[in-house]
Amino acid sequence: MNQYTGDEMVRIMAALSNPHRIRVVATLVKGATYVSQLARELEISRPLLQVHLRRLEAAGLVTSELRISEEGKAMKFYTVTPFDLHLSPESIARGATSLSLPDTQEGDER
């Protein structure tokens, strides 16, 4: 089982806090695919999909790679990155010890 810092746990959970992003990860488990194909499979627009893919990539949950098609067209393929986040009260307590505290401003209730 992988051990994540508190900040990594927050980053992963935040990235997976959207149903579209969970569906993206679930689809990419089957194998790498390019944006247009993924958008068709998930039945969402390419611009919306791009937003979610950027968020997942920033969290380190997916990676992208440009490939050239037989027709010479550049295509961006996405692959899921292996991760294993086990959530339990104990793993959350371990992660909490390494959390960075967010900057707070007066009246800011996060």
Side-chain angles (χ1 to χ4, degrees):
M1 171 175 49
N2 290 330
Q3 299 257 338
Y4 291 98
T5 67
D7 293 340
E8 290 168 331
M9 291 171 69
V10 168
R11 187 187 74 238
I12 291 168
M13 289 187 294
L16 294 173
S17 68
N18 181 284
H20 288 303
R21 291 192 289 267
I22 289 176
R23 292 177 61 225
V24 167
V25 171
T27 301
L28 291 177
V29 165
K30 301 174 205 169
T33 192
Y34 59 99
V35 175
S36 295
Q37 176 61 35
L38 190 55
R40 281 191 295 275
E41 272 190 62
L42 297 175
E43 298 179 344
I44 62 175
S45 70
R46 287 182 55 192
L48 178 59
L49 177 59
Q50 291 284 8
V51 168
H52 292 302
L53 287 168
R54 279 193 295 274
R55 181 75 184 266
L56 289 167
E57 194 165 24
L61 301 178
V62 301
T63 57
S64 63
E65 172 187 32
L66 280 179
R67 298 182 190 172
I68 306 300
S69 70
E70 292 178 9
E71 298 81 29
K73 181 180 173 187
M75 300 171 70
K76 198 169 197 178
F77 276 74
Y78 283 86
T79 306
V80 70
T81 303
F83 64 93
D84 181 16
L85 179 63
H86 174 80
L87 289 180
S88 67
E90 294 78 17
S91 67
I92 290 171
R94 280 191 306 273
T97 64
S98 62
L99 280 173
S100 298
L101 296 177
D103 293 333
T104 56
Q105 301 171 359
E106 281 187 40
D108 185 14
E109 296 182 22
R110 290 186 209 188

